[in-house]
Amino acid sequence: MAIPMISEADRLRREVLAYVIKEIQDGEYENIDRIPVKMRPKGEPYSRCCIYKDRAALRYRCMSAMGYRVEDEVDEIKPLAQYAKEIDTTPPAANPFLTIFPDACSACMQSQIMVTNMCRGCLARPCTNICPRKAIQVRNGRARISTELCINCGKCAEVCRYHAIIQVPLACADACPVGAIGKTEDGRVTVDQEKCIRCGKCIKACPFAAIMQANQVAHVVRAIAQGKKVIALVAPAILGYFPTEPGKLYAALRKMGFADVYEVALAGDEVAIDEAKEWAERKAEGAPFMTTSCCPAWMETVKRHIPEIMPYVSHTPSPMVYSDRRAKKDHPDAITVFIGPCMAKRAEAHRLQSPDYVITAEEVGAWLMANNIQLDDLEPEQPACVGTQYGAEFAISGGVANAVAHYLPEGVAMPTVFKINGLNKKNIALLRVFAKTKKAPADIIEIMVCPGGCVAGPAAINTPEDATKIIQDRRPDDFNALVK
């Protein structure tokens, strides 16, 4: 089994979450202001120019952990304890939920192709021959790249036999599939919220953790601490993130204070049934193709970048919404919380007002850490409902299309499928062509913004490969509540 690569930025983010969760649930708000000091005590190593700047940075991280955006702060000496007290009356930032701590940004150089001193000015000169824009010239025995002509395609770096040409990345911008990351005048990162599709890839990519999210976990912790009924809606992907059987995770969620647990996989089955009916109806009406609609970052992409493809997008809501409806029907007075690896679900929940909150697998992991809950020490418990394997595999690339094909109405021909397994600039352009020409290479286009599917979400805490295997090996028959 592959070992998940956990960076120091990941550890820092989770440690801050765990500290904040602990103080919020204990109601010890005055202690929240001591978190930066606890995390960076005198005499211990620090990562910035001085321990005091480290502590200042941690203060802003605590703010985002409590649901606030750094950009919205107007009083720089306002205590963290006051922010904590206002959680009950201040909803978490939902759209946009990205927040940038500019002082953490390293002002990395723009992504570019560079020629190093390893260049020998060779006779073959494959770099000059392959460049589509003729941006490379050899002068004084060394290749030179014109920044005005270079389109950063990287072909010259691929063919250089001395590996003398390198592609220097700008981690956050290179991760963004829609070009929403830019620079301020002083070189710091900025996000164009009109272009941003809320996928969260930039948060995962930034090696300095300068791009953060306004978390919703503190509001959920407060609701439980106040004795409110809170229902957990567990996305299929999360079952692949924790090294234990699903029943022990469900037991842990109840131990954390959730009144009940619903498997969103069941809603996946319901979505597949409705989407299969929708495709059958569209096919009968002569529709050339239909795209799936479950990925919220894809839906944001449609709205902001490819509105012309909207007529071909399924109208069926996502499993999260179906699951929320079921839980609200069973518990009209409850607060519902979706749990998964996806940050874009927050934008979807805000837009549809369903469910009440969205937290990530990473936040759940920090919550477990804050309470020292060991999953292996728990006895497995059943969820309130459970889906089939088809519903569970919504979290995996190809899973949505497979489920739709499985639930086709009788007499409907099996659709052909084309998978977009990870959205990028190239296949966004391809999808525009599909919309413009009203032609596509298949009947159903399944689109997952994250390569590998939801298991590769930006808030994942396991490798996509291991998470995929765990979900594929899942045994829903272990639960008596298996949907018929």
Side-chain angles (χ1 to χ4, degrees), residues 36-352:
V37 178
K38 285 182 181 178
M39 293 183 65
R40 291 294 182 271
K42 285 185 178 180
E44 295 294 323
Y46 46 86
S47 58
R48 300 181 181 278
C49 61
C50 67
I51 194 172
Y52 304 106
K53 192 166 184 178
D54 252 15
R55 290 174 178 174
L58 287 168
R59 177 180 179 275
Y60 286 104
R61 299 194 189 284
C62 289
M63 281 179 55
S64 69
M66 288 188 284
Y68 298 94
R69 297 181 74 240
V70 172
E71 294 88 339
D72 297 335
E73 184 187 41
V74 293
D75 184 354
E76 293 192 23
I77 61 172
K78 181 177 177 178
L80 290 174
Q82 186 60 39
Y83 282 108
K85 291 174 183 176
E86 293 173 4
I87 286 175
D88 292 341
T89 56
T90 307
N95 196 20
F97 55 82
L98 289 183
T99 180
I100 298 172
F101 176 40
D103 289 340
C105 179
S106 184
C108 309
M109 68 175 68
Q110 289 283 6
S111 179
Q112 58 184 287
I113 303 294
M114 292 181 62
V115 180
T116 71
N117 57 11
M118 291 293 293
C119 178
R120 306 297 297 273
C122 66
L123 181 63
R125 298 183 181 176
C127 57
T128 62
N129 294 329
I130 201 170
C131 180
R133 296 292 298 274
K134 306 302 179 185
I136 304 180
Q137 301 291 327
V138 177
R139 297 174 185 168
N140 299 323
R142 182 173 171 181
R144 311 284 176 176
I145 298 178
S146 167
T147 55
E148 290 79 16
L149 295 176
C150 178
I151 58 173
N152 211 28
C153 66
K155 291 181 178 179
C156 55
E158 292 174 3
V159 299
C160 178
R161 298 171 190 176
Y162 286 99
H163 304 290
I165 303 176
I166 59 174
Q167 193 161 17
V168 182
L170 176 58
C172 54
D174 288 356
C176 179
V178 293
I181 304 292
K183 291 276 193 174
T184 60
E185 289 185 1
D186 63 354
R188 309 292 180 181
V189 66
T190 184
V191 176
D192 185 336
Q193 298 293 352
E194 294 303 313
K195 291 182 179 180
C196 176
I197 60 173
R198 286 43 173 172
C199 65
K201 290 185 177 182
C202 56
I203 293 177
K204 190 70 174 177
C206 178
F208 297 95
I211 308 176
M212 306 180 292
Q213 60 171 317
N215 298 89
Q216 298 189 0
V217 67
H219 289 73
V220 178
V221 170
R222 282 293 299 142
I224 290 176
Q226 291 169 343
K228 297 177 181 178
K229 182 188 289 186
V230 183
I231 306 295
L233 313 175
V234 181
I238 199 176
L239 301 180
Y241 292 144
F242 294 96
T244 189
E245 58 187 280
K248 292 190 175 186
L249 175 60
Y250 301 149
L253 291 171
R254 289 197 177 101
K255 188 176 179 67
M256 289 156 58
F258 287 94
D260 214 340
V261 180
Y262 282 62
E263 268 201 4
V264 178
L266 174 59
D269 290 305
E270 295 170 335
V271 167
I273 291 168
D274 287 352
E275 203 159 275
K277 290 177 182 175
E278 183 182 1
W279 165 245
E281 292 168 0
R282 289 190 180 217
K283 183 68 174 177
E285 295 169 357
F289 66 93
M290 181 180 79
T291 83
T292 54
S293 58
C294 292
C295 175
W298 160 238
M299 297 305 292
E300 290 290 326
T301 303
V302 172
K303 180 174 71 173
R304 301 171 187 278
H305 299 278
I306 326 176
E308 59 268 34
I309 206 171
M310 182 60 81
Y312 307 103
V313 178
S314 169
H315 297 150
T316 306
S318 73
M320 177 181 76
V321 175
Y322 274 59
S323 188
D324 181 55
R325 290 173 181 172
R326 176 183 289 269
K328 289 273 178 63
K329 182 179 178 181
D330 294 344
H331 305 277
D333 59 335
I335 292 171
T336 49
V337 181
F338 178 83
I339 303 174
C342 179
M343 296 179 190
K345 282 294 183 186
R346 288 182 174 153
E348 180 186 3
H350 177 74
R351 175 171 53 89
L352 300 175

